[in-house]
Amino acid sequence: MEYTWHLILMAALYVATGIFHLSKPELYYKIIPSFFVYKDFINFMTGFLQILFGASLLIPAYKSVAASSIIILLILIFPSNIFMVLNKKARLGLPLWLLIVRLPLQFALIYWAYQYVT
């Protein structure tokens, strides 16, 4: 099977982000909304699933399931994006305007993943 550059880019994006979740967990604990408990578990699972789904995009038999799973994951982590906008301590020093622009980007990422759901 021939892989398109955008599929490889998407896979690399999720694998890299997942690795970053696992290697810098203290950074992500700050952006998990305060009403969630077990932040370490949430962060670990998010990172693990990003790596799993990203790598699975490159396995033809699993590409559609991986893309569907990425869409679900993006929906589930959206509250963290909103939390970052609303909570100054969760912004990680990023400007508010960037975090606001990031909100619709989540929908673009969902659309991108949807392109691989067959």
Side-chain angles (χ1 to χ4, degrees):
M1 169 170 194
E2 187 175 315
Y3 298 107
T4 60
W5 66 268
H6 39 88
L7 179 62
I8 294 169
L9 178 63
M10 178 186 281
L13 172 78
Y14 286 103
V15 169
T17 303
I19 290 170
F20 201 64
H21 267 267
L22 300 180
S23 66
K24 300 286 186 189
E26 64 283 349
L27 182 70
Y28 290 94
Y29 295 158
K30 295 176 186 175
I31 68 172
I32 297 172
S34 54
F35 53 85
F36 284 112
V37 292
Y38 308 115
K39 291 184 178 193
D40 52 345
F41 177 76
I42 292 170
N43 180 69
F44 175 81
M45 286 307 296
T46 302
F48 172 77
L49 292 174
Q50 286 177 334
I51 294 167
L52 177 67
F53 300 154
S56 296
L57 285 171
L58 300 177
I59 302 170
Y62 298 111
K63 180 175 65 173
S64 182
V65 171
S68 298
S69 299
I70 286 170
I71 291 169
I72 293 167
L73 185 61
L74 289 169
I75 292 167
L76 290 174
I77 65 172
F78 193 69
S80 289
N81 295 348
I82 295 170
F83 184 69
M84 289 179 76
V85 169
L86 299 177
N87 186 322
K88 191 171 186 171
K89 291 180 182 178
R91 293 183 189 158
L92 306 176
L94 297 169
L96 180 60
W97 69 267
L98 181 62
L99 296 171
I100 292 171
V101 168
R102 184 175 172 223
L103 294 175
L105 177 62
Q106 197 86 354
F107 296 104
L109 292 172
I110 289 169
Y111 179 76
W112 188 13
Y114 183 73
Q115 302 309 300
Y116 301 104
V117 178
T118 54

